[in-house]
Amino acid sequence: MSVSTPEPDPPEPARGVDAVVLVGGKGTRLRPLTLSAPKPMLPTAGVPFLTHLLSRIAAAGINHVVLGTSYKAEVFQEYFGDGSRLGLDLEYVVEDEPLDTGGAIRNVADRLREPDAMVFNGDILSGVDLPAVLATHRANAADVTLHLVRVDDPRRFGCVPTDADGRVTAFLEKTDNPPTDQVNAGCYVFRREAVESIPAGRPVSVERETFPGLLASGARLQGHVDSSYWLDLGTPAAFVRGSADLVRGIAPSAALPGDPGEALVLEGARVREGAELAGGCTIGAGCQVGAGARVRGSVLFDGAVVGAGAVVEDSVIGAHALVGDGAVVRGAVVGDKAVVGAGCELLDGVRLWPGVHLPDGAIRFSSDV
Ligand code: GTP
């Protein structure tokens, strides 16, 4: 007799709300990885990053999702199609010229079906309780509600103070003396009229233009503050950390292909005896890791090869790239099909461009190659 695991109960449907995900950015800070794929499509803990976010949206009971695309727009539809695999009804709106974040939100206005739209930056990994953000929005009859997250070092961000009722009082630029540790977490609920108030057909920054403009006009902007997991995956270091946090189960996701642990080894990958995998690393499909190699907290895209005795830490190794025997790659990005010769050292922020071949024994740090 076979015993089948019961299907989890479907989420309570979230009523009166669409989702909008902004995925049109060029992802310049993540080059050269984003030369071949847009940032939200980069393999992150075994699936394109966007899968984690879309799964969270589905789990919150939101069914209709509009993706605002521009850079490499076609890649999204090729992979996600109509969204039915994730239980979503997915639509795509392409910008011929990038409209920036606010312009991209305005550009999808005619696809919205419900009174509210939950808007997401497509590169944020977060554990925020989405129904709770929506509840804050409605309880306060807000025009826009912003998820605000408390961070350890708010000097690196513009910050968003709120009053005793949680109402946003200002949008402040980066400063050495921020009056609050609350920062914009890149997830908002917009009342439909607030979307329609954004000027159409030109680039608009939601942070620099839309929010300050709404505040000045007397609109109600509400903050929803929490301390849940939150990471902007915009830089190589953050991308590596986010991926490792997903693999280790520190960042919540229902889309992780496997159980949380120290390493995620995908189909067809070969890891030789004596190799050590740790720190939430991902070994992509068809990868090879040589005997005695050490891979820690890193992402190996599909088909990458790490030679015997090599060390790869906190790094991204692009698809079909090769790290030679005994090489050390630490805090670096190796582009697709690039070759790091045997015994090389790549350290601290080095980015090796796709297809570049670094001869055996070379040492590089803090520059593009
Ligand atoms: P960098 O070039 O490295 O700053 O990355 P980025 O282009 O992704 O910009 P940023 O991280 O500021 O973008 C935040 C979110 O908005 C990301 O999910 C982007 O994909 C998205 N985004 C940025 N600009 C546009 C745009 O012009 N159109 C659309 N549709 N989305 C955008």
Side-chain angles (χ1 to χ4, degrees):
M1 192 181 79
S2 71
V3 179
S4 60
T5 324
E7 288 286 313
D9 290 336
E12 283 287 310
R15 302 210 185 278
V17 62
D18 299 296
V20 174
V21 188
L22 307 179
V23 293
K26 291 199 172 86
T28 50
R29 290 166 297 158
L30 268 174
R31 283 182 188 158
L33 302 171
T34 42
L35 295 176
S36 51
K39 178 167 46 174
M41 291 303 286
L42 289 176
T44 317
V47 290
F49 173 72
L50 189 56
T51 316
H52 298 289
L53 176 55
L54 291 176
S55 301
R56 287 181 55 72
I57 291 172
I62 303 176
N63 175 253
H64 178 228
V65 183
V66 187
L67 290 193
T69 66
S70 171
Y71 177 64
K72 295 193 183 292
E74 65 293 346
V75 183
F76 295 95
Q77 193 153 7
E78 279 164 17
Y79 186 86
F80 290 107
D82 64 2
S84 50
R85 254 185 307 150
L86 292 168
L88 295 171
D89 171 3
L90 213 51
E91 277 195 75
Y92 303 83
V93 177
V94 184
E95 295 147 40
D96 298 330
E97 294 296 326
L99 291 171
D100 205 344
T101 44
I105 298 169
R106 178 64 178 88
N107 198 45
V108 305
D110 65 352
R111 305 299 179 95
L112 300 177
R113 301 171 185 168
E114 303 291 347
D116 290 318
M118 197 165 231
V119 178
F120 299 84
N121 280 359
D123 55 355
I124 300 289
L125 183 57
S126 147
V128 68
D129 179 343
L130 298 178
V133 180
L134 196 57
T136 298
H137 180 72
R138 291 185 176 156
N140 291 282
D143 294 299
V144 178
T145 298
L146 294 89
H147 173 215
L148 305 176
V149 69
R150 294 208 166 92
V151 293
D152 289 340
D153 184 4
R155 288 171 308 175
R156 296 192 296 121
F157 303 86
C159 64
V160 186
T162 46
D163 68 14
D165 298 325
R167 197 164 170 162
V168 172
T169 54
F171 290 91
L172 303 172
E173 299 286 332
K174 285 181 200 170
T175 139
D176 277 343
N177 270 323
T180 167
D181 59 359
Q182 298 171 180
V183 307
N184 175 359
C187 165
Y188 326 108
V189 187
F190 272 72
R191 194 191 280 267
R192 175 107 70 98
E193 295 75 36
V195 172
E196 285 160 359
S197 75
I198 301 171
R202 68 163 173 87
V204 178
S205 159
V206 77
E207 299 90 347
R208 286 189 296 279
E209 186 174 339
T210 307
F211 292 148
L214 282 167
L215 196 61
S217 72
R220 176 147 196 148
L221 275 73
Q222 191 71 24
H224 176 94
V225 185
D226 77 354
S227 306
S228 58
Y229 183 95
W230 182 81
L231 190 64
D232 172 346
L233 264 68
T235 63
F239 175 72
V240 162
R241 193 172 131 210
S243 179
D245 285 348
L246 281 161
V247 170
R248 296 204 292 169
I250 295 168
S253 173
L256 185 70
D259 293 328
E262 284 301 292
L264 175 67
V265 179
L266 298 173
E267 222 174 84
R270 277 175 43 203
V271 180
R272 298 267 181 204
E273 217 161 297
E276 183 195 321
L277 309 180
C281 60
T282 299
I283 313 297
C287 284
Q288 295 181 43
V289 179
R294 205 165 75 218
V295 182
R296 175 176 284 273
S298 297
V299 185
L300 272 52
F301 287 177
D302 290 354
V305 176
V306 173
V311 175
V312 177
E313 283 181 359
D314 304 326
S315 297
V316 185
I317 310 299
H320 303 283
L322 171 71
V323 176
D325 292 352
V328 175
V329 179
R330 200 169 270 140
V333 174
V334 175
D336 295 346
K337 296 184 181 161
V339 176
V340 179
C344 283
E345 283 185 51
L346 285 194
L347 306 172
D348 300 337
V350 173
R351 300 173 196 225
L352 192 61
W353 240 238
V356 169
H357 189 143
L358 205 59
D360 292 358
I363 298 179
R364 297 286 185 277
F365 50 92
S366 300
S367 63
D368 291 352
V369 185

